[in-house]
Amino acid sequence: MKRYGLIALPVSFFICLFIIAPGRLAGETSPVYAEALINRAMELRLHEDRRWLTLVHYKKTLRGTRSLIDDPKFFLSPSGKTNPRAELESTIRAIVSPPREGEKHAVCRFIARYRWLKDALPIDDNLLPVKGCTEIEDSIDRMRPESASLVFPASHINSPASMFGHTFLMIETGNRSKLLAHAVNYSASAKDTFGPLFYIKSIFGLYPGYFGILPYYAKIQEYNDFDQRDIWEYRINFTPEEVRRMIYHIYELENVYSDYFFFDENCSYNLLFLLDAARPDLQLSEEFYSPWFTWVIPLDTIRSIQKAGIIGPIDFRPSRVSTIRHLEEILSEPGKDLAIEIIRGKKGPDALLQSPLPEHEKVRVCDMITEYVRYEYSRDNMEKKDYSEFLINALAVRSRLKTSGEADYRVPAPANPESGHLSARIALGAGARGNSPFQELRVRPAYHTIMDNDEGYVEGGHIVFTDIVARFYDREKLFQIEKIDAIDIVSLTPGDRFIQSPSWKVRTGLRRRHFVEEKYPLLSFLNTGGGYAWKLPVLDLAYIMGDAELQAGGRLEHNITAGAGVSAGTLTKITRSWKAHLNAKSYYYPFGEKQHETTASLSQRFRTGANSCIMIDIGHTTAASKNYGERRSVNEFLLYLNIYM
Amino acid sequence: MKRLIIISTVILMAFAMSAAYANQSNTGCGLGSVIFKGKNGLVSQVLAVTTNATFGNITFGITSGTSNCQQFSGIVSNERINTFVAHNLDNLAIDIARGSGEYLNTFAVLMDVRETERASFYSKLQGNFSRIFTSQEITYDQVLRNIETVLSSS
């Protein structure tokens, strides 16, 4: 009874409890003990405690406090979703209540809540009909969780959704093999097989999101081997106790859904609750929460976690494509030639054994052809029969190249993704269009263009959400929106002897039309293109694409114009901080208002810091609009300073 | 603005992506079977098997991943080894041929090979690659049987 004294129960309760205590085993004291605990909880104001708010995912919304969990079975009180206090009372009652046949008891069902209350109140297990959840405790003991890492599959430039990124957790256990670690992943549970429908629904929160657990090797297959995305592992310096607390909470979330929102309540955001459950002081889910529309960029959550100072060692796991590209760099020319001959089937893998190449070079060639067929097979470019025949022959050769132990090469890790520039960009600039000087303000919430500093980003990748450009023309005293790129994506993937991948772009938004009228009407447009890119000496990278464009707006003849053309350019890194993009394009618009437009431009970027740079753009445009009428041209010059934040 | 973002994103996504939700067909228990073909490309068999597994009902993540395959029961058998080898056969084959690698290490962990004996374990498997992976049609249970034979003949 000593513990009751400690928690200073009101005297009346003390007596009550004392008198009825002998009947406890018959289950009659439970309600009394529950009321005592509830009173104590209210005294301590535990329903306002951040641990409680974290465990039930409560947030202050525009309509009062609400839990972000949408599954009714996550709440014990009918008003639990919106009432932290009622939910806490119901939780305490459920913990103290006797077990019921065929129903999971609250100490197991809500083990994290129970474990927290046990310490916070505290609860005396001896007075509980169900004394803790041995089932879960035992299974965690067998699992031996030791550490947790946040895993970030870096973006793959040929897939726009991947550029937004993804994060999941990896829990390593006592067996010390990462492959066998548990990957804890939050994702939308979607049965729709029709792509566009999937995106619409996931943006508007029409799918339930669930936590799922897979062996980590399955996630490696998914990201490294299929999606060709490098994987970054950020060890979080949680103690084993903290990891255990996190696992308690994962158990609570088993089969519990929250509506999945692609932009804010997404994979990365929901993981933050797990981290907060492990260490309540972090309050990471609070940092990223806004009752208004917002977006949670997975990479930004990593930055926050880094800022919180809880990141330990960082590991890099290259994708198959990264491995192939690296082998390409270190292979000798004769080695590459032999690899190509074997890949094309002109020679069998045994040709390696007779080749005059040095032994370590043979190893590299053999690894190259192995990685290559696996890449081809994963892209559905090879029959299973041909693949397994090639693989087993190549590996038989490999096993005879006696270089036991580790390989003599290692794919170098590029700059860490979180070390790259921040996601949002603001720019101030000045320039002139023809003879009209102007000042310019640009705001872009996300994410990265080919002209921004590349470090930490995939080179040749470009993804922009809502780049808004406003200008003030001095002479005309005209302040106006110059353009809005709602979505702008470019993927320049240089092809080479081993990997050929198309380059493409999509851009849509609003843009001013110049030349025709003084008022420059705002038009909406959709532009897309596909083509090819190469690596070149000196120029670095060159591309050529076939483009199509549609413009619509009231000031156009027939309200619309549509056409096609060609664009080409070079993208050159002159020094680490100086980059130049030379571009030319020419479009004919035979549909709707007939016009023709040709543009040449040179953009240059000078890096001035990790989160700032100066850009200088010059351009020349010639256009003949209104049924290929009068040809006019204009030059534009613009200098601006970019700040990333 | 929010609507504009959403609408244009939808247009874009519809435009630029095709979701890789494939018709599922199991292609066997041998090399290349972790991957299987669907209408729109390739999907990992492992991923198709489980999405909502939890700590509670898993050996380590997978319950039914090997259900279509023959289970090997011999000295080197237990559920975890069977599952791991079935799901990682290609990667394990590569590591055995190379005589090193993460998949081989994990295999040794599951086989309870002591740290001090790992180097000779690895080189023994590497030296006998063609006795383990005897044909391109080999299934993972045969691989395990062959590994057992190789290990017991010293």
Side-chain angles (χ1 to χ4, degrees):
Chain A
M1 298 312 286
K2 235 167 136 191
R3 301 190 66 162
Y4 294 110
L6 275 178
I7 60 167
L9 276 178
V11 175
S12 58
F13 269 107
F14 184 86
I15 294 167
C16 244
L17 207 60
F18 187 73
I19 295 168
I20 307 172
R24 176 162 57 88
L25 291 172
E28 287 163 20
T29 53
S30 298
V32 179
Y33 187 40
E35 291 318 308
L37 292 176
I38 287 169
N39 279 348
R40 178 69 188 141
M42 293 310 130
E43 269 171 42
L44 294 169
R45 307 202 71 75
L46 289 186
H47 58 287
E48 290 165 5
D49 191 288
R50 58 159 72 151
R51 276 232 54 188
W52 175 247
L53 300 178
T54 298
L55 287 177
V56 196
H57 299 210
Y58 285 121
K59 290 288 163 218
K60 289 228 176 340
T61 69
L62 302 177
R63 288 177 290 169
T65 301
R66 294 175 79 83
S67 169
L68 296 183
I69 304 266
D70 296 294
D71 197 329
K73 67 173 176 291
F74 188 68
F75 304 100
L76 288 162
S77 158
S79 62
K81 184 169 165 69
T82 52
N83 189 339
R85 181 176 172 153
E87 183 63 19
L88 181 63
E89 289 179 10
S90 296
T91 301
I92 294 174
R93 284 200 188 94
I95 285 170
V96 176
S97 71
R100 264 186 265 168
E101 196 62 39
E103 212 175 90
K104 215 178 200 183
H105 193 269
V107 297
C108 281
R109 176 65 196 83
F110 295 103
I111 186 164
R113 298 187 193 181
Y114 157 70
R115 295 286 312 206
W116 166 65
L117 283 169
K118 183 173 145 66
D119 296 334
L121 278 169
I123 295 175
D124 182 354
D125 272 352
N126 291 318
L127 293 173
L128 293 185
V130 180
K131 300 172 202 337
C133 186
T134 44
E135 181 194 328
I136 292 179
E137 302 288 356
D138 287 353
S139 97
I140 300 178
D141 286 342
R142 277 198 304 277
M143 196 196 328
R144 288 181 295 154
E146 285 187 351
S147 66
S149 299
L150 194 67
V151 182
F152 177 69
S155 56
H156 170 44
I157 53 173
N158 255 322
S159 150
S162 87
M163 283 192 233
F164 197 67
H166 180 64
T167 50
F168 59 93
L169 274 169
M170 186 240 298
I171 298 174
E172 280 184 74
T173 63
N175 63 32
R176 301 284 160 85
S177 163
K178 270 194 187 167
L179 295 180
L180 301 180
H182 302 264
V184 181
N185 187 55
Y186 179 84
S187 62
S189 167
K191 291 206 166 63
D192 292 299
T193 51
F194 178 55
L197 190 64
F198 172 78
Y199 283 102
I200 293 166
K201 285 177 130 185
S202 70
I203 286 166
F204 290 101
L206 297 174
Y207 287 118
Y210 286 97
F211 280 99
I213 299 165
L214 284 170
Y216 186 43
Y217 66 69
K219 301 306 278 182
I220 295 173
Q221 281 175 18
E222 179 181 356
Y223 292 110
N224 267 179
D225 298 355
F226 290 92
D227 288 354
Q228 308 303 338
R229 292 160 73 171
D230 296 335
I231 293 176
W232 293 88
E233 300 166 354
Y234 297 84
R235 172 73 68 88
I236 299 173
N237 57 20
F238 282 157
T239 62
E241 292 73 51
E242 286 172 321
V243 176
R244 196 178 180 99
R245 260 208 304 267
M246 185 164 80
I247 293 172
Y248 288 145
H249 191 47
I250 296 169
Y251 268 106
E252 289 185 337
L253 294 168
E254 186 175 342
N255 294 319
V256 166
Y257 72 83
S258 327
D259 295 338
Y260 182 96
F261 290 86
F262 182 82
F263 283 114
D264 49 2
E265 286 181 49
N266 55 22
C267 56
S268 296
Y269 182 70
N270 276 280
L271 285 184
L272 300 178
F273 283 102
L274 301 185
L275 303 182
D276 287 348
R279 193 181 290 178
D281 293 343
L282 290 174
Q283 292 292 300
L284 293 161
S285 66
E286 196 57 37
E287 187 180 325
F288 280 91
Y289 182 75
S290 153
W292 307 96
F293 177 77
T294 178
W295 45 44
V296 179
I297 295 174
L299 190 53
D300 288 345
T301 66
I302 292 176
R303 289 202 177 99
S304 273
I305 288 160
Q306 194 159 51
K307 216 162 62 191
I310 56 169
I311 293 212
I314 302 171
D315 281 333
F316 172 71
R317 205 177 266 280
S319 72
R320 182 148 293 133
V321 164
S322 298
T323 308
I324 293 172
R325 296 241 195 242
H326 177 65
L327 281 166
E328 238 184 303
E329 267 172 40
I330 60 173
L331 272 179
S332 64
E333 283 308 315
K336 270 188 235 180
D337 293 341
L338 182 56
I340 294 275
E341 280 179 309
I342 297 174
I343 287 166
R344 302 234 168 104
K346 288 183 191 146
K347 288 183 179 169
D350 340 18
L352 257 177
L353 293 171
Q354 284 96 50
S355 113
L357 292 171
E359 199 74 358
H360 77 274
E361 188 73 5
K362 289 182 190 173
V363 167
R364 291 172 177 188
V365 172
C366 198
D367 289 357
M368 176 62 140
I369 60 175
T370 308
E371 296 295 330
Y372 182 79
V373 290
R374 300 207 69 205
Y375 170 72
E376 282 293 283
Y377 184 56
S378 77
R379 284 160 46 96
D380 211 4
N381 289 342
M382 253 180 125
E383 289 298 320
K384 184 182 175 226
K385 192 177 139 293
D386 300 332
Y387 160 77
S388 42
E389 183 184 349
F390 188 105
L391 183 69
I392 209 158
N393 290 338
L395 292 180
V397 170
R398 180 65 174 84
S399 72
R400 291 167 67 187
L401 298 169
K402 287 287 177 201
T403 51
S404 56
E406 298 299 317
D408 73 328
Y409 62 89
R410 199 187 167 88
V411 183
N416 299 349
E418 82 284 0
S419 69
H421 66 77
L422 299 177
S423 306
R425 188 179 91 176
I426 286 190
L428 280 170
R433 182 171 183 91
N435 297 320
S436 290
F438 61 81
Q439 282 88 52
E440 186 174 285
L441 172 69
R442 290 178 174 224
V443 181
R444 182 193 84 192
Y447 185 55
H448 176 73
T449 71
I450 44 176
M451 289 309 287
D452 291 321
N453 306 328
D454 284 318
E455 260 159 61
Y457 288 85
V458 176
E459 252 176 83
H462 172 123
I463 181 165
V464 167
F465 294 108
T466 56
D467 188 11
I468 302 166
V469 181
R471 277 186 187 172
F472 179 72
Y473 285 93
D474 297 325
R475 204 167 288 161
E476 294 84 353
K477 297 276 177 286
L478 189 64
F479 180 77
Q480 62 184 15
I481 296 287
E482 179 66 19
K483 64 167 186 170
I484 298 175
D485 285 336
I487 295 283
D488 178 12
I489 296 176
V490 183
S491 166
L492 296 175
T493 321
D496 54 44
R497 292 175 76 184
F498 292 90
I499 292 173
Q500 280 91 38
S501 187
S503 292
W504 57 270
K505 63 183 173 186
V506 180
R507 187 177 195 177
T508 181
L510 303 171
R511 184 197 292 160
R512 292 247 167 230
R513 171 176 153 96
H514 290 272
F515 303 116
V516 185
E517 292 141 282
E518 288 308 308
K519 281 202 161 171
Y520 310 141
L522 209 51
L523 304 174
S524 56
F525 72 96
L526 173 67
N527 177 299
T528 181
Y532 202 72
W534 305 262
K535 280 256 179 222
L536 289 179
V538 189
L539 286 174
D540 272 359
L541 190 130
Y543 63 87
I544 182 159
M545 288 194 205
D547 297 356
E549 185 164 289
L550 175 75
Q551 296 177 6
R555 295 298 186 92
L556 286 167
E557 282 176 10
H558 316 293
N559 298 325
I560 203 159
T561 178
V566 178
S567 61
T570 59
L571 200 58
T572 312
K573 254 193 200 163
I574 299 159
T575 67
R576 182 180 166 221
S577 53
W578 183 14
K579 191 171 191 175
H581 180 203
L582 190 62
N583 173 275
K585 60 182 181 185
S586 185
Y587 290 178
Y588 265 99
Y589 298 80
F591 306 105
E593 180 176 324
K594 294 179 170 43
Q595 51 172 333
H596 173 217
E597 188 170 310
T598 302
T599 303
S601 65
L602 172 68
S603 303
Q604 295 178 82
R605 177 262 288 162
F606 305 91
R607 184 180 185 274
T608 47
N611 280 301
S612 64
C613 64
I614 288 170
M615 293 193 191
I616 299 172
D617 296 352
I618 49 174
H620 174 84
T621 305
T622 306
S625 48
K626 303 252 175 186
N627 207 10
Y628 310 127
E630 187 193 348
R631 180 166 292 275
R632 304 192 206 184
S633 62
V634 68
N635 296 321
E636 189 170 301
F637 168 83
L638 172 62
L639 181 144
Y640 54 111
L641 170 71
N642 292 300
I643 306 288
Y644 304 85
M645 52 181 53
Chain B
M1 183 54 59
K2 175 177 167 182
R3 255 173 75 190
L4 181 69
I5 298 168
I6 289 173
I7 289 164
S8 39
T9 306
V10 169
I11 292 168
L12 168 87
M13 295 301 186
F15 198 72
M17 308 269 307
S18 66
Y21 290 91
N23 284 346
Q24 298 163 5
S25 62
N26 195 320
T27 57
C29 315
L31 292 170
S33 66
V34 172
I35 300 161
F36 63 100
K37 279 177 198 164
K39 265 193 177 151
N40 300 315
L42 295 147
V43 176
S44 157
Q45 185 173 1
V46 173
L47 297 169
V49 171
T50 18
T51 46
N52 281 327
T54 51
F55 293 121
N57 59 15
I58 47 170
T59 336
F60 49 170
I62 302 289
T63 44
S64 54
T66 58
S67 58
N68 295 317
C69 303
Q70 186 96 42
Q71 286 268 329
F72 174 68
S73 52
I75 306 163
V76 293
S77 80
N78 68 36
E79 175 92 29
R80 285 157 60 94
I81 294 175
N82 266 285
T83 312
F84 178 76
V85 175
H87 288 156
N88 298 282
L89 192 60
D90 302 43
N91 284 319
L92 184 62
I94 289 171
D95 280 4
I96 288 178
R98 291 178 182 174
S100 68
E102 202 177 5
Y103 291 86
L104 189 55
N105 287 345
T106 302
F107 183 61
V109 166
L110 290 171
M111 296 270 291
D112 271 333
V113 179
R114 258 182 269 150
E115 299 259 1
T116 49
E117 289 162 14
R118 296 224 175 130
S120 66
F121 176 75
Y122 297 161
S123 69
K124 189 159 194 179
L125 294 182
Q126 184 186 28
N128 288 286
F129 180 86
S130 297
R131 289 177 62 198
I132 298 168
F133 291 88
T134 44
S135 90
Q136 65 186 77
E137 279 106 26
I138 196 158
T139 55
Y140 87 92
D141 55 306
Q142 293 165 335
V143 168
L144 278 173
R145 181 174 304 123
N146 294 343
I147 287 176
E148 191 176 85
T149 311
V150 164
L151 292 177
S152 57
S153 68
S154 45

